[in-house]
Amino acid sequence: MISNLPAQWHMEADLVAIGSGLAGLGAAITAHEHGSSAIVLERADQLGGVTALSLGECWIPGNDLETALGIDDSPESGFRYLKRLAMGYNEDLATLNLTVHAREALRWFTRAIGLKMMVIRDCPDYYFGHTNDAVKEGRLLEVEPFDAKSLGEWQERTRVSPVVPYGMTHPDMMKPGGSANMAKWDFALMGERLANDIRCLGAGLAAAFVKGAADRGIPMHTGMNAVELIGDRTRIVGVRCETNDGDVFVRANKGVVVAVSSYERNPELNKTLGQQLDLGTMVFSTVDGANFRLTGPVGARIAKVPDVTLLGVRVPGEEMEDGSVLSRSVMAQIGLPHTIVVNRMAKRFGNEAFYREFFMKTDHIDGATQTHPNFPCWAIFDSQAREKYIFGAVPPGQDFPEGMAVKADSLAALAKATGLDAATLEATVARFNAHAENAEDPDWGRGTHLWSAYMSGDPLHKPHPNLGPLLKAPFYAIELCRMGGSAIPSTGVVADHHCRAMDWLGKPIPGLYVAGNSVARLETGAVMQSGVSNARGMTHGWLAGLHAAGKPSTLLESEAMRLGL
C-alpha cells in the first residue's frame, strides 16, 4: 500500500465519489442516507456522466413494476439469462450479484430519492423466443419525464445528450413507428418538453440522481480532475485532484469510489485493452481511462471480456463539445428495409438487424490473409430507404452533407465509385432482394429476433419490418466506422460483490471501491444486454455506498447458497 499523505487536506468526507454518473451519485446518496458524509468530484464542467448521453434503459429482472403488470419474472431467471449470453466469459457470482441486487437497489432509490421509473412496454430481451429465461417485456425500465427546473442551480450544469432525443420517452418514439418513422412523431410534445426542460431517457435519469444528491446537500464539485489516490500504508484515504487553482487534496474517511466510466476516448487503450482501431465515439473527452490511472498504482487487478463494437457514421460538420468529430451509431438503421451492409468483397456478412451478432462479425480477423475481411464496410441502400428513413442524423429526403455518401444511378456505378466489385455487389443485392420479397433471409436470419423488429425495424413496412428489397435508383453507399458501445468497455477493474477493488492476489484493496463502467464486465461476459450498463451503475453505486457506510448487503451469500454457487 502506498504512503503519500499530503501536508494538508482541503476537503473531507466519509465517502468520496469520483465521477457524477449514476454510479458515483448513487454511491454518494447511499452513503449519506446511511449516516456517512459524501462528496462527489467531477472532472468535467457538467454533472451526469455518460448516463446522461444514453437511452436511459435499466435492465432489472424481477422488478416490482413488472410484477405489478402481472409479468412472471425473477432475479434467478435473469441470472440464467445473462449466464447464457456470457458464453463462459463471466463469473457466476458476479452475474448473480447484479441480478439479485438490481431489484433491491431500484426499490431503495425509489423510496430514498423518489425515483420514478416505468416499464418500457413491448420491449423484449434480445433473445426472447430463443430461451425460456428471456421475457417479452418488463425488465427494461426508463425514468418518467423529469422536470429539470427542480435542479435549481444545477439545471444548466447537468448534461443532456446531443445524440438521443431526450425530449421523448420510448413509447413516444415507438408508438408512431420508432426511429424508422420519425416524421410521425409528436414534435409538438417534444418541443413543449424541451421548452420546459422536461428530460427523458438518460438525461432524465441522470438529472433524477443529481437532484437526489442536491436535495441532501451533498457537495458536488466540477472541474476536479482526480489524478492520484492517497494512501497511509494501510488503506486508501483520499485523492489528489488537479484544478485550475492548483492541487486539491480530498480526504476520504471510509472510502473512495472510482466511477469514471471507461477509456473510449483513448486510442492507445482502445487498441491495447480492447481490440478496437480508429474508434468513432459520441462520448466526451474525459472518458479516457482514468479508472486505470487511479487504481493501477495501488495494485488493482484488471480483467477483459469480448469487445462491444458497434457501427456508426461520421457526419461532416458535426462536432463534440471539445471540437472533436462526433460519430453516430447506425445500428438501429442498418437493419431497416431496403438496406444492407457489405464488406470489402461486396458481400453481406451478418444479420444487420441484430447487433449482438453483427458486431462479432465486424472485427473478425482472417488469419490466412492477415486482414479484417469485414472491415471496412459499407451501408448500401436505395431511394426507398432514403425517402423514408433517417441515416445518421440526416433526415429522410434530405441531401447528405458533401463527403458523407456516394450516390449513383446503378449498383454497378455505385460499386465503381466505392471500389467494390460490381458483379459481386449486384449478385449480393439480387440474392437479398429475392428473399426479402418473401420476408426471409436464409443466409443470416435477419428479422428472426423480436428485438430486431422493435429496435431496428419499421413496423409499418409489410410484410416484414426488417426486410425490403433494394430496387429504386439512385442507390447510396456510406462507409461505416467502428463505434464504441457508449463507453461500455471490454476491460475494467475487478471488484468483489461489495464493489471493493481487488488486487492481483484476490484481496480487496482497503478503502477503494469501483463502480459502473470502471468495473470489469464479469457479470455479462461476452455481450451487453441493452439496459445492463445503467443497471450496473445504479447497483454498484448502491453496494459501494452501503459497504463504505458499514451496512453491507448480505443478500448474495444467501442466494448463492440457495443456488449452490
Side-chain angles (χ1 to χ4, degrees):
M1 177 59 66
I2 60 173
S3 177
N4 55 347
L5 292 171
Q8 65 173 335
W9 297 100
H10 300 98
M11 291 188 285
E12 181 176 354
D14 292 329
L15 181 140
V16 176
I18 306 174
S20 66
L22 206 56
L25 292 169
I29 293 167
T30 304
H32 179 276
E33 289 296 285
H34 287 85
S36 297
S37 60
I39 288 177
V40 177
L41 307 177
E42 170 56 54
R43 178 178 172 186
D45 294 328
Q46 290 184 306
L47 303 176
V50 173
T51 303
L53 304 184
S54 73
L55 284 170
E57 297 166 349
C58 293
W59 185 87
I60 300 179
N63 68 78
D64 294 337
L65 293 169
E66 64 176 338
T67 300
L69 293 173
I71 299 170
D72 184 20
D73 192 19
S74 67
E76 183 180 343
S77 177
F79 163 72
R80 292 193 300 266
Y81 175 77
L82 283 188
K83 179 176 169 64
R84 175 175 176 180
L85 267 63
M87 295 174 60
Y89 290 95
N90 70 316
E91 290 183 354
D92 284 356
L93 283 177
T95 304
L96 183 64
N97 195 49
L98 173 65
T99 60
V100 300
H101 281 122
R103 177 174 68 178
E104 302 306 316
L106 176 62
R107 285 172 173 168
W108 189 86
F109 285 113
T110 298
R111 294 192 302 267
I113 68 173
L115 179 64
K116 296 180 180 179
M117 303 290 282
M118 58 186 180
V119 170
I120 304 175
R121 300 305 302 267
D122 302 315
C123 186
D125 286 342
Y126 284 179
Y127 286 93
F128 177 73
H130 296 257
T131 168
N132 291 336
D133 285 302
V135 299
K136 188 175 181 179
E137 62 176 353
R139 289 176 179 167
L140 274 168
L141 311 176
E142 67 175 323
V143 72
E144 293 183 6
F146 181 87
D147 186 353
K149 295 187 293 296
S150 65
L151 294 174
E153 65 175 305
W154 293 105
Q155 181 179 359
E156 299 300 321
R157 298 172 64 188
T158 300
R159 284 188 185 276
V160 295
S161 176
V163 292
V164 301
Y166 66 89
M168 307 287 274
T169 66
H170 281 72
D172 294 332
M173 295 183 287
M174 300 310 295
K175 286 180 180 178
S179 60
N181 294 280
M182 288 185 66
K184 300 180 186 299
W185 287 9
D186 187 346
F187 286 100
L189 172 63
M190 178 189 284
E192 180 181 347
R193 285 197 182 131
L194 295 179
N196 291 294
D197 204 3
I198 306 298
R199 303 181 189 181
C200 307
L201 308 181
L205 182 61
F209 275 74
V210 171
K211 183 173 178 4
D215 286 349
R216 284 153 183 77
I218 296 172
M220 296 180 285
H221 298 276
T222 58
M224 298 280 284
N225 181 20
V227 294
E228 182 183 22
L229 294 176
I230 306 297
D232 67 354
R233 293 190 187 278
T234 62
R235 64 187 301 274
I236 298 302
V237 296
V239 59
R240 175 173 70 87
C241 296
E242 292 178 348
T243 75
N244 290 336
D245 298 320
D247 284 352
V248 173
F249 291 89
V250 185
R251 181 173 178 82
N253 297 318
K254 296 182 178 180
V256 173
V257 181
V258 176
V260 294
S261 200
S262 68
Y263 50 86
E264 190 168 300
R265 290 297 300 273
N266 188 319
E268 181 182 356
L269 297 185
N270 285 331
K271 182 171 71 172
T272 56
L273 294 180
Q275 278 81 53
Q276 296 176 307
L277 309 175
D278 190 26
L279 197 68
T281 182
M282 67 177 191
V283 302
F284 35 87
S285 59
T286 56
V287 182
D288 65 353
N291 54 328
F292 301 122
R293 294 195 298 275
L294 288 166
T295 65
V298 299
R301 179 191 161 203
I302 63 173
K304 182 185 185 308
V305 297
D307 281 303
V308 174
T309 302
L310 309 180
L311 287 173
V313 62
R314 296 181 174 98
V315 181
E318 286 199 334
E319 294 183 347
M320 303 184 68
E321 57 194 47
D322 61 354
S324 57
V325 177
L326 173 68
S327 296
R328 292 180 178 271
S329 172
V330 294
M331 296 306 294
Q333 297 160 22
I334 59 176
L336 289 169
H338 321 300
T339 305
I340 61 173
V341 174
V342 301
N343 59 19
R344 62 174 69 203
M345 294 170 286
K347 296 180 178 180
R348 293 178 64 220
F349 56 91
N351 177 356
E352 299 97 334
F354 192 52
Y355 79 85
R356 159 71 181 101
E357 189 244 0
F358 203 70
F359 70 65
M360 294 293 187
K361 301 279 177 57
T362 303
D363 282 336
H364 170 67
I365 295 175
D366 184 337
T369 61
Q370 287 297 95
T371 62
H372 287 106
N374 297 328
F375 199 86
C377 58
W378 290 261
I380 308 292
F381 48 97
D382 73 353
S383 290
Q384 296 176 90
R386 184 79 291 262
E387 291 163 3
K388 293 190 292 184
Y389 307 132
I390 190 173
F391 198 92
V394 183
Q398 182 174 309
D399 291 337
F400 286 113
E402 185 176 354
M404 180 177 174
V406 176
K407 179 180 178 181
D409 290 331
S410 68
L411 290 171
L414 194 72
K416 182 177 180 180
T418 54
L420 298 170
D421 180 76
T424 304
L425 180 60
E426 289 175 328
T428 296
V429 172
R431 179 172 175 81
F432 176 80
N433 286 352
H435 290 294
E437 294 277 13
N438 296 319
E440 61 183 13
D441 178 20
D443 294 328
W444 299 108
R446 178 162 155 175
T448 56
H449 294 79
L450 187 60
W451 169 262
S452 298
Y454 180 88
M455 186 56 65
S456 301
D458 176 0
L460 305 183
H461 179 80
K462 306 300 179 184
H464 196 286
N466 298 113
L467 294 166
L470 289 71
L471 298 171
K472 185 178 179 180
F475 298 93
Y476 299 83
I478 293 181
E479 185 171 354
L480 303 178
C481 67
R482 289 182 177 90
M483 280 283 295
S486 302
I488 300 172
S490 63
T491 304
V493 179
V494 176
D496 72 356
H497 58 286
H498 297 299
C499 292
R500 294 179 292 184
M502 304 297 284
D503 67 17
W504 288 90
L505 298 177
K507 298 178 180 179
I509 299 172
L512 181 59
Y513 301 84
V514 284
N517 284 335
S518 288
V519 181
R521 291 194 294 107
L522 296 178
E523 304 101 327
T524 59
V527 73
M528 288 297 294
Q529 158 69 45
S530 182
V532 168
S533 184
N534 282 328
R536 292 176 82 233
M538 181 189 300
T539 307
H540 290 167
W542 183 67
L543 289 169
L546 285 177
H547 191 274
K551 307 288 186 180
S553 171
T554 60
L555 183 59
L556 178 66
E557 289 87 343
S558 60
E559 285 298 296
M561 183 177 298
R562 185 176 68 83
L563 296 177
L565 297 179

